[in-house]
Amino acid sequence: MADETIFYEGRIPTRVFIFSHGFFWIVFLGWNVGLLAAFFHSFTWHIRITSQRLVLSRGFISRSVEEIEYYRVSDTSAEQNFLQRLAGVGTLTLLSDDLTAPKLTFPVHSPYEFREKIRTSVREERSKMRTVNVD
């Protein structure tokens, strides 16, 4: 895809997983175990956010890859609790007409910034593809 621009590609940072599960998750598992679990999650999740699609890969030994083309996205949302706002992380949710991933939720840093980039790209892709929602 020649005109595809990459907004972000790489692992989801460890701090995202530390705060996405909540502070009580770390306290419950213990500081060292919680940090180790967060590091393992960040090591096994890879994300690519482009101007045309979002690709989320999960897994270390076996891999699952989920891809959503933006022209199929019907709604986006971003959520942050108090600790997540302090850390600059949150959760993005994409609702789509895709049969394999009608709802894709994933943690990310700067969720509102990425949500706006995705929303803008969704509008552009839907107008390019001349996609219309029929209720």
Side-chain angles (χ1 to χ4, degrees):
M1 308 213 178
D3 57 342
E4 189 171 23
T5 305
I6 297 175
F7 298 136
Y8 178 78
E9 183 172 15
R11 293 183 317 136
I12 297 176
T14 304
R15 71 183 168 97
V16 172
F17 284 102
I18 289 173
F19 291 100
S20 69
H21 293 296
F23 183 71
F24 295 111
W25 179 72
I26 292 175
V27 171
F28 178 70
L29 290 177
W31 185 253
N32 292 333
V33 175
L35 287 177
L36 185 63
F39 175 74
F40 183 72
H41 270 103
S42 72
F43 185 69
T44 60
W45 285 49
H46 183 270
I47 191 167
R48 183 173 9 151
I49 301 173
T50 71
S51 60
Q52 296 179 351
R53 60 193 167 139
L54 181 130
V55 181
L56 180 65
S57 311
R58 290 178 266 192
F60 181 68
I61 295 173
S62 63
R63 213 131 173 73
S64 108
V65 177
E66 196 60 57
E67 179 177 326
I68 293 183
E69 298 282 341
Y70 288 155
Y71 74 91
R72 292 180 173 266
V73 172
S74 58
D75 195 17
T76 62
S77 68
E79 297 177 14
Q80 286 182 313
N81 62 30
F82 178 70
L83 288 176
Q84 289 173 335
R85 283 186 59 129
L86 291 176
V89 301
T91 304
L92 268 180
T93 301
L94 299 179
L95 298 175
S96 72
D97 300 331
D98 190 1
L99 295 177
T100 60
K103 181 179 181 181
L104 185 62
T105 301
F106 55 96
V108 69
H109 62 88
S110 307
Y112 294 109
E113 175 186 331
F114 282 121
R115 180 178 180 252
E116 286 304 315
K117 286 182 180 180
I118 289 172
R119 278 187 67 234
T120 304
S121 297
V122 165
R123 279 189 300 232
E124 290 173 4
E125 286 301 305
R126 288 176 72 88
S127 68
K128 254 197 267 185
M129 298 292 251
R130 295 188 176 110
T131 306
V132 178
N133 273 353
V134 177
D135 292 328

mmCIF file of all heavy atoms in Angstrom, residues 95-135:
data_model
loop_
_atom_site.group_PDB
_atom_site.id
_atom_site.type_symbol
_atom_site.label_atom_id
_atom_site.label_comp_id
_atom_site.label_asym_id
_atom_site.label_seq_id
_atom_site.Cartn_x
_atom_site.Cartn_y
_atom_site.Cartn_z
ATOM 1 N N LEU A 95 -14.873 -0.291 17.366
ATOM 2 C CA LEU A 95 -16.025 -1.098 16.977
ATOM 3 C C LEU A 95 -16.075 -1.119 15.464
ATOM 4 O O LEU A 95 -15.979 -0.074 14.822
ATOM 5 C CB LEU A 95 -17.312 -0.503 17.542
ATOM 6 C CG LEU A 95 -17.403 -0.432 19.059
ATOM 7 C CD1 LEU A 95 -18.670 0.277 19.475
ATOM 8 C CD2 LEU A 95 -17.330 -1.803 19.670
ATOM 9 N N SER A 96 -16.222 -2.319 14.898
ATOM 10 C CA SER A 96 -16.165 -2.423 13.443
ATOM 11 C C SER A 96 -17.190 -3.414 12.921
ATOM 12 O O SER A 96 -17.828 -4.137 13.685
ATOM 13 C CB SER A 96 -14.770 -2.853 13.000
ATOM 14 O OG SER A 96 -14.549 -4.203 13.325
ATOM 15 N N ASP A 97 -17.307 -3.450 11.607
ATOM 16 C CA ASP A 97 -18.159 -4.408 10.927
ATOM 17 C C ASP A 97 -17.386 -5.672 10.566
ATOM 18 O O ASP A 97 -17.908 -6.532 9.866
ATOM 19 C CB ASP A 97 -18.731 -3.786 9.642
ATOM 20 C CG ASP A 97 -19.559 -2.556 9.938
ATOM 21 O OD1 ASP A 97 -20.144 -2.489 11.024
ATOM 22 O OD2 ASP A 97 -19.606 -1.658 9.072
ATOM 23 N N ASP A 98 -16.170 -5.790 11.044
ATOM 24 C CA ASP A 98 -15.325 -6.950 10.791
ATOM 25 C C ASP A 98 -15.873 -8.147 11.567
ATOM 26 O O ASP A 98 -16.151 -8.047 12.759
ATOM 27 C CB ASP A 98 -13.893 -6.639 11.237
ATOM 28 C CG ASP A 98 -12.899 -7.679 10.793
ATOM 29 O OD1 ASP A 98 -13.287 -8.643 10.123
ATOM 30 O OD2 ASP A 98 -11.712 -7.522 11.136
ATOM 31 N N LEU A 99 -16.040 -9.281 10.905
ATOM 32 C CA LEU A 99 -16.615 -10.454 11.555
ATOM 33 C C LEU A 99 -15.677 -11.075 12.584
ATOM 34 O O LEU A 99 -16.124 -11.612 13.591
ATOM 35 C CB LEU A 99 -17.007 -11.504 10.515
ATOM 36 C CG LEU A 99 -18.123 -11.103 9.556
ATOM 37 C CD1 LEU A 99 -18.359 -12.183 8.531
ATOM 38 C CD2 LEU A 99 -19.393 -10.804 10.333
ATOM 39 N N THR A 100 -14.381 -11.018 12.348
ATOM 40 C CA THR A 100 -13.441 -11.647 13.281
ATOM 41 C C THR A 100 -13.134 -10.775 14.487
ATOM 42 O O THR A 100 -12.733 -11.288 15.520
ATOM 43 C CB THR A 100 -12.120 -12.004 12.572
ATOM 44 O OG1 THR A 100 -11.527 -10.819 12.061
ATOM 45 C CG2 THR A 100 -12.374 -13.020 11.471
ATOM 46 N N ALA A 101 -13.289 -9.476 14.375
ATOM 47 C CA ALA A 101 -13.007 -8.575 15.495
ATOM 48 C C ALA A 101 -14.015 -7.435 15.506
ATOM 49 O O ALA A 101 -13.689 -6.307 15.173
ATOM 50 C CB ALA A 101 -11.597 -8.024 15.395
ATOM 51 N N PRO A 102 -15.263 -7.718 15.920
ATOM 52 C CA PRO A 102 -16.239 -6.630 15.950
ATOM 53 C C PRO A 102 -15.912 -5.581 17.009
ATOM 54 O O PRO A 102 -16.265 -4.421 16.867
ATOM 55 C CB PRO A 102 -17.552 -7.333 16.254
ATOM 56 C CG PRO A 102 -17.171 -8.640 16.838
ATOM 57 C CD PRO A 102 -15.824 -8.983 16.302
ATOM 58 N N LYS A 103 -15.205 -5.998 18.062
ATOM 59 C CA LYS A 103 -14.782 -5.055 19.103
ATOM 60 C C LYS A 103 -13.344 -5.391 19.465
ATOM 61 O O LYS A 103 -13.056 -6.478 19.940
ATOM 62 C CB LYS A 103 -15.682 -5.183 20.326
ATOM 63 C CG LYS A 103 -15.317 -4.237 21.433
ATOM 64 C CD LYS A 103 -16.267 -4.389 22.608
ATOM 65 C CE LYS A 103 -15.890 -3.410 23.706
ATOM 66 N NZ LYS A 103 -16.799 -3.561 24.862
ATOM 67 N N LEU A 104 -12.453 -4.451 19.222
ATOM 68 C CA LEU A 104 -11.040 -4.650 19.519
ATOM 69 C C LEU A 104 -10.616 -3.630 20.563
ATOM 70 O O LEU A 104 -10.692 -2.419 20.325
ATOM 71 C CB LEU A 104 -10.199 -4.494 18.245
ATOM 72 C CG LEU A 104 -8.711 -4.779 18.366
ATOM 73 C CD1 LEU A 104 -8.473 -6.230 18.773
ATOM 74 C CD2 LEU A 104 -8.009 -4.486 17.069
ATOM 75 N N THR A 105 -10.208 -4.114 21.730
ATOM 76 C CA THR A 105 -9.789 -3.253 22.828
ATOM 77 C C THR A 105 -8.331 -3.559 23.138
ATOM 78 O O THR A 105 -7.954 -4.726 23.252
ATOM 79 C CB THR A 105 -10.661 -3.509 24.075
ATOM 80 O OG1 THR A 105 -12.019 -3.260 23.731
ATOM 81 C CG2 THR A 105 -10.266 -2.603 25.208
ATOM 82 N N PHE A 106 -7.526 -2.507 23.300
ATOM 83 C CA PHE A 106 -6.112 -2.700 23.588
ATOM 84 C C PHE A 106 -5.576 -1.490 24.338
ATOM 85 O O PHE A 106 -6.036 -0.373 24.147
ATOM 86 C CB PHE A 106 -5.309 -2.923 22.296
ATOM 87 C CG PHE A 106 -5.475 -1.841 21.280
ATOM 88 C CD1 PHE A 106 -4.560 -0.803 21.202
ATOM 89 C CD2 PHE A 106 -6.545 -1.841 20.409
ATOM 90 C CE1 PHE A 106 -4.716 0.206 20.276
ATOM 91 C CE2 PHE A 106 -6.707 -0.845 19.480
ATOM 92 C CZ PHE A 106 -5.789 0.188 19.415
ATOM 93 N N PRO A 107 -4.583 -1.712 25.207
ATOM 94 C CA PRO A 107 -3.968 -0.596 25.935
ATOM 95 C C PRO A 107 -2.939 0.104 25.052
ATOM 96 O O PRO A 107 -2.305 -0.523 24.207
ATOM 97 C CB PRO A 107 -3.296 -1.281 27.125
ATOM 98 C CG PRO A 107 -2.992 -2.651 26.645
ATOM 99 C CD PRO A 107 -4.064 -2.999 25.662
ATOM 100 N N VAL A 108 -2.800 1.415 25.259
ATOM 101 C CA VAL A 108 -1.867 2.197 24.447
ATOM 102 C C VAL A 108 -1.478 3.462 25.209
ATOM 103 O O VAL A 108 -2.208 3.915 26.086
ATOM 104 C CB VAL A 108 -2.513 2.540 23.074
ATOM 105 C CG1 VAL A 108 -3.636 3.514 23.220
ATOM 106 C CG2 VAL A 108 -1.507 3.024 22.073
ATOM 107 N N HIS A 109 -0.312 3.997 24.903
ATOM 108 C CA HIS A 109 0.069 5.288 25.470
ATOM 109 C C HIS A 109 -0.553 6.389 24.623
ATOM 110 O O HIS A 109 -0.842 6.190 23.442
ATOM 111 C CB HIS A 109 1.597 5.435 25.547
ATOM 112 C CG HIS A 109 2.263 5.391 24.210
ATOM 113 N ND1 HIS A 109 2.445 6.506 23.442
ATOM 114 C CD2 HIS A 109 2.771 4.370 23.506
ATOM 115 C CE1 HIS A 109 3.047 6.184 22.320
ATOM 116 N NE2 HIS A 109 3.251 4.871 22.327
ATOM 117 N N SER A 110 -0.828 7.526 25.208
ATOM 118 C CA SER A 110 -1.475 8.665 24.532
ATOM 119 C C SER A 110 -2.748 8.252 23.803
ATOM 120 O O SER A 110 -2.863 8.415 22.581
ATOM 121 C CB SER A 110 -0.509 9.317 23.542
ATOM 122 O OG SER A 110 0.695 9.652 24.153
ATOM 123 N N PRO A 111 -3.739 7.712 24.516
ATOM 124 C CA PRO A 111 -4.914 7.162 23.836
ATOM 125 C C PRO A 111 -5.731 8.191 23.073
ATOM 126 O O PRO A 111 -6.245 7.887 21.991
ATOM 127 C CB PRO A 111 -5.731 6.544 24.976
ATOM 128 C CG PRO A 111 -5.296 7.264 26.191
ATOM 129 C CD PRO A 111 -3.855 7.609 25.971
ATOM 130 N N TYR A 112 -5.854 9.404 23.578
ATOM 131 C CA TYR A 112 -6.664 10.405 22.882
ATOM 132 C C TYR A 112 -5.987 10.885 21.609
ATOM 133 O O TYR A 112 -6.652 11.177 20.615
ATOM 134 C CB TYR A 112 -6.990 11.574 23.814
ATOM 135 C CG TYR A 112 -7.893 11.142 24.946
ATOM 136 C CD1 TYR A 112 -7.423 11.056 26.242
ATOM 137 C CD2 TYR A 112 -9.220 10.790 24.706
ATOM 138 C CE1 TYR A 112 -8.245 10.629 27.280
ATOM 139 C CE2 TYR A 112 -10.048 10.377 25.722
ATOM 140 C CZ TYR A 112 -9.558 10.290 27.004
ATOM 141 O OH TYR A 112 -10.380 9.855 28.011
ATOM 142 N N GLU A 113 -4.668 10.954 21.629
ATOM 143 C CA GLU A 113 -3.929 11.342 20.426
ATOM 144 C C GLU A 113 -4.107 10.291 19.332
ATOM 145 O O GLU A 113 -4.398 10.628 18.179
ATOM 146 C CB GLU A 113 -2.449 11.499 20.775
ATOM 147 C CG GLU A 113 -1.560 11.787 19.597
ATOM 148 C CD GLU A 113 -0.088 11.797 19.987
ATOM 149 O OE1 GLU A 113 0.232 12.125 21.157
ATOM 150 O OE2 GLU A 113 0.730 11.464 19.122
ATOM 151 N N PHE A 114 -3.949 9.009 19.689
ATOM 152 C CA PHE A 114 -4.116 7.947 18.701
ATOM 153 C C PHE A 114 -5.576 7.833 18.250
ATOM 154 O O PHE A 114 -5.848 7.546 17.090
ATOM 155 C CB PHE A 114 -3.638 6.605 19.244
ATOM 156 C CG PHE A 114 -2.144 6.473 19.221
ATOM 157 C CD1 PHE A 114 -1.440 6.257 20.383
ATOM 158 C CD2 PHE A 114 -1.437 6.575 18.036
ATOM 159 C CE1 PHE A 114 -0.066 6.142 20.373
ATOM 160 C CE2 PHE A 114 -0.067 6.461 18.010
ATOM 161 C CZ PHE A 114 0.623 6.243 19.189
ATOM 162 N N ARG A 115 -6.518 8.081 19.155
ATOM 163 C CA ARG A 115 -7.936 8.028 18.780
ATOM 164 C C ARG A 115 -8.241 9.073 17.717
ATOM 165 O O ARG A 115 -8.941 8.793 16.742
ATOM 166 C CB ARG A 115 -8.824 8.253 19.992
ATOM 167 C CG ARG A 115 -10.296 8.212 19.630
ATOM 168 C CD ARG A 115 -11.163 8.394 20.866
ATOM 169 N NE ARG A 115 -12.565 8.354 20.480
ATOM 170 C CZ ARG A 115 -13.351 9.418 20.457
ATOM 171 N NH1 ARG A 115 -12.893 10.594 20.810
ATOM 172 N NH2 ARG A 115 -14.598 9.308 20.089
ATOM 173 N N GLU A 116 -7.725 10.279 17.879
ATOM 174 C CA GLU A 116 -7.972 11.327 16.896
ATOM 175 C C GLU A 116 -7.332 10.999 15.550
ATOM 176 O O GLU A 116 -7.918 11.242 14.499
ATOM 177 C CB GLU A 116 -7.488 12.682 17.408
ATOM 178 C CG GLU A 116 -8.383 13.263 18.472
ATOM 179 C CD GLU A 116 -9.829 13.399 18.010
ATOM 180 O OE1 GLU A 116 -10.076 13.876 16.884
ATOM 181 O OE2 GLU A 116 -10.725 13.001 18.785
ATOM 182 N N LYS A 117 -6.122 10.438 15.575
ATOM 183 C CA LYS A 117 -5.478 10.033 14.321
ATOM 184 C C LYS A 117 -6.293 8.948 13.626
ATOM 185 O O LYS A 117 -6.484 8.981 12.401
ATOM 186 C CB LYS A 117 -4.059 9.532 14.585
ATOM 187 C CG LYS A 117 -3.085 10.622 14.895
ATOM 188 C CD LYS A 117 -1.703 10.063 15.106
ATOM 189 C CE LYS A 117 -0.722 11.176 15.424
ATOM 190 N NZ LYS A 117 0.633 10.667 15.625
ATOM 191 N N ILE A 118 -6.783 7.991 14.415
ATOM 192 C CA ILE A 118 -7.577 6.906 13.843
ATOM 193 C C ILE A 118 -8.899 7.443 13.311
ATOM 194 O O ILE A 118 -9.322 7.085 12.215
ATOM 195 C CB ILE A 118 -7.782 5.785 14.881
ATOM 196 C CG1 ILE A 118 -6.462 5.054 15.120
ATOM 197 C CG2 ILE A 118 -8.869 4.809 14.434
ATOM 198 C CD1 ILE A 118 -6.492 4.059 16.255
ATOM 199 N N ARG A 119 -9.570 8.319 14.055
ATOM 200 C CA ARG A 119 -10.845 8.902 13.602
ATOM 201 C C ARG A 119 -10.676 9.638 12.275
ATOM 202 O O ARG A 119 -11.482 9.500 11.355
ATOM 203 C CB ARG A 119 -11.401 9.868 14.645
ATOM 204 C CG ARG A 119 -12.135 9.206 15.761
ATOM 205 C CD ARG A 119 -12.799 10.204 16.672
ATOM 206 N NE ARG A 119 -13.871 10.885 15.959
ATOM 207 C CZ ARG A 119 -13.987 12.208 15.840
ATOM 208 N NH1 ARG A 119 -13.115 13.007 16.378
ATOM 209 N NH2 ARG A 119 -14.981 12.741 15.186
ATOM 210 N N THR A 120 -9.617 10.427 12.178
ATOM 211 C CA THR A 120 -9.344 11.158 10.940
ATOM 212 C C THR A 120 -9.096 10.189 9.789
ATOM 213 O O THR A 120 -9.635 10.367 8.689
ATOM 214 C CB THR A 120 -8.128 12.078 11.120
ATOM 215 O OG1 THR A 120 -8.365 12.948 12.217
ATOM 216 C CG2 THR A 120 -7.852 12.888 9.876
ATOM 217 N N SER A 121 -8.320 9.162 10.050
ATOM 218 C CA SER A 121 -8.031 8.170 9.007
ATOM 219 C C SER A 121 -9.276 7.382 8.622
ATOM 220 O O SER A 121 -9.443 7.030 7.459
ATOM 221 C CB SER A 121 -6.942 7.210 9.492
ATOM 222 O OG SER A 121 -5.750 7.908 9.727
ATOM 223 N N VAL A 122 -10.144 7.094 9.603
ATOM 224 C CA VAL A 122 -11.387 6.379 9.306
ATOM 225 C C VAL A 122 -12.243 7.199 8.350
ATOM 226 O O VAL A 122 -12.766 6.676 7.360
ATOM 227 C CB VAL A 122 -12.165 6.065 10.610
ATOM 228 C CG1 VAL A 122 -13.601 5.672 10.319
ATOM 229 C CG2 VAL A 122 -11.466 4.969 11.382
ATOM 230 N N ARG A 123 -12.381 8.492 8.624
ATOM 231 C CA ARG A 123 -13.168 9.347 7.727
ATOM 232 C C ARG A 123 -12.580 9.369 6.323
ATOM 233 O O ARG A 123 -13.310 9.299 5.331
ATOM 234 C CB ARG A 123 -13.244 10.761 8.287
ATOM 235 C CG ARG A 123 -14.292 10.926 9.359
ATOM 236 C CD ARG A 123 -14.455 12.367 9.685
ATOM 237 N NE ARG A 123 -13.174 12.876 10.153
ATOM 238 C CZ ARG A 123 -12.994 13.543 11.281
ATOM 239 N NH1 ARG A 123 -14.003 13.850 12.028
ATOM 240 N NH2 ARG A 123 -11.811 13.937 11.648
ATOM 241 N N GLU A 124 -11.268 9.482 6.225
ATOM 242 C CA GLU A 124 -10.624 9.521 4.905
ATOM 243 C C GLU A 124 -10.809 8.202 4.159
ATOM 244 O O GLU A 124 -11.115 8.207 2.958
ATOM 245 C CB GLU A 124 -9.136 9.836 5.054
ATOM 246 C CG GLU A 124 -8.855 11.245 5.483
ATOM 247 C CD GLU A 124 -7.383 11.471 5.794
ATOM 248 O OE1 GLU A 124 -6.560 10.542 5.609
ATOM 249 O OE2 GLU A 124 -7.052 12.583 6.248
ATOM 250 N N GLU A 125 -10.612 7.077 4.857
ATOM 251 C CA GLU A 125 -10.746 5.775 4.206
ATOM 252 C C GLU A 125 -12.185 5.501 3.800
ATOM 253 O O GLU A 125 -12.439 4.941 2.742
ATOM 254 C CB GLU A 125 -10.238 4.654 5.124
ATOM 255 C CG GLU A 125 -8.739 4.609 5.242
ATOM 256 C CD GLU A 125 -8.063 4.411 3.905
ATOM 257 O OE1 GLU A 125 -8.388 3.439 3.190
ATOM 258 O OE2 GLU A 125 -7.212 5.253 3.560
ATOM 259 N N ARG A 126 -13.141 5.886 4.637
ATOM 260 C CA ARG A 126 -14.551 5.672 4.304
ATOM 261 C C ARG A 126 -14.953 6.521 3.093
ATOM 262 O O ARG A 126 -15.730 6.076 2.255
ATOM 263 C CB ARG A 126 -15.437 5.962 5.499
ATOM 264 C CG ARG A 126 -15.308 4.893 6.575
ATOM 265 C CD ARG A 126 -16.119 5.225 7.788
ATOM 266 N NE ARG A 126 -17.539 5.070 7.547
ATOM 267 C CZ ARG A 126 -18.212 3.950 7.702
ATOM 268 N NH1 ARG A 126 -17.578 2.870 8.100
ATOM 269 N NH2 ARG A 126 -19.497 3.897 7.475
ATOM 270 N N SER A 127 -14.440 7.736 2.996
ATOM 271 C CA SER A 127 -14.771 8.558 1.822
ATOM 272 C C SER A 127 -14.070 8.031 0.567
ATOM 273 O O SER A 127 -14.641 8.070 -0.521
ATOM 274 C CB SER A 127 -14.414 10.023 2.071
ATOM 275 O OG SER A 127 -13.026 10.192 2.156
ATOM 276 N N LYS A 128 -12.851 7.514 0.716
ATOM 277 C CA LYS A 128 -12.135 6.933 -0.425
ATOM 278 C C LYS A 128 -12.862 5.695 -0.949
ATOM 279 O O LYS A 128 -12.986 5.504 -2.154
ATOM 280 C CB LYS A 128 -10.724 6.515 -0.008
ATOM 281 C CG LYS A 128 -9.637 7.421 -0.517
ATOM 282 C CD LYS A 128 -8.309 6.736 -0.431
ATOM 283 C CE LYS A 128 -7.648 7.079 0.883
ATOM 284 N NZ LYS A 128 -6.286 6.535 0.977
ATOM 285 N N MET A 129 -13.332 4.853 -0.020
ATOM 286 C CA MET A 129 -14.004 3.611 -0.399
ATOM 287 C C MET A 129 -15.492 3.818 -0.670
ATOM 288 O O MET A 129 -16.174 2.890 -1.070
ATOM 289 C CB MET A 129 -13.848 2.571 0.714
ATOM 290 C CG MET A 129 -12.420 2.215 0.973
ATOM 291 S SD MET A 129 -11.738 1.333 -0.389
ATOM 292 C CE MET A 129 -11.609 -0.266 0.307
ATOM 293 N N ARG A 130 -15.968 5.031 -0.395
ATOM 294 C CA ARG A 130 -17.389 5.366 -0.555
ATOM 295 C C ARG A 130 -18.278 4.427 0.258
ATOM 296 O O ARG A 130 -19.280 3.917 -0.220
ATOM 297 C CB ARG A 130 -17.783 5.353 -2.018
ATOM 298 C CG ARG A 130 -17.067 6.421 -2.801
ATOM 299 C CD ARG A 130 -17.608 6.522 -4.203
ATOM 300 N NE ARG A 130 -16.981 7.616 -4.898
ATOM 301 C CZ ARG A 130 -16.117 7.477 -5.886
ATOM 302 N NH1 ARG A 130 -15.792 6.285 -6.297
ATOM 303 N NH2 ARG A 130 -15.595 8.522 -6.475
ATOM 304 N N THR A 131 -17.862 4.224 1.507
ATOM 305 C CA THR A 131 -18.577 3.340 2.411
ATOM 306 C C THR A 131 -19.707 4.102 3.092
ATOM 307 O O THR A 131 -19.517 5.226 3.556
ATOM 308 C CB THR A 131 -17.626 2.792 3.491
ATOM 309 O OG1 THR A 131 -16.510 2.198 2.857
ATOM 310 C CG2 THR A 131 -18.314 1.791 4.372
ATOM 311 N N VAL A 132 -20.867 3.480 3.194
ATOM 312 C CA VAL A 132 -22.033 4.087 3.819
ATOM 313 C C VAL A 132 -22.585 3.107 4.848
ATOM 314 O O VAL A 132 -22.721 1.911 4.568
ATOM 315 C CB VAL A 132 -23.124 4.415 2.777
ATOM 316 C CG1 VAL A 132 -24.350 4.991 3.442
ATOM 317 C CG2 VAL A 132 -22.577 5.344 1.721
ATOM 318 N N ASN A 133 -22.912 3.590 6.052
ATOM 319 C CA ASN A 133 -23.534 2.739 7.062
ATOM 320 C C ASN A 133 -25.030 2.627 6.790
ATOM 321 O O ASN A 133 -25.701 3.625 6.569
ATOM 322 C CB ASN A 133 -23.347 3.341 8.459
ATOM 323 C CG ASN A 133 -22.053 2.898 9.076
ATOM 324 O OD1 ASN A 133 -21.357 2.049 8.543
ATOM 325 N ND2 ASN A 133 -21.734 3.485 10.203
ATOM 326 N N VAL A 134 -25.513 1.412 6.813
ATOM 327 C CA VAL A 134 -26.947 1.169 6.651
ATOM 328 C C VAL A 134 -27.435 0.532 7.939
ATOM 329 O O VAL A 134 -26.965 -0.534 8.319
ATOM 330 C CB VAL A 134 -27.227 0.243 5.448
ATOM 331 C CG1 VAL A 134 -28.706 -0.046 5.337
ATOM 332 C CG2 VAL A 134 -26.690 0.867 4.188
ATOM 333 N N ASP A 135 -28.352 1.195 8.615
ATOM 334 C CA ASP A 135 -28.866 0.659 9.884
ATOM 335 C C ASP A 135 -30.122 -0.133 9.700
ATOM 336 O O ASP A 135 -30.907 0.006 8.882
ATOM 337 C CB ASP A 135 -29.131 1.784 10.878
ATOM 338 C CG ASP A 135 -27.825 2.435 11.314
ATOM 339 O OD1 ASP A 135 -26.823 1.726 11.367
ATOM 340 O OD2 ASP A 135 -27.843 3.648 11.585
#
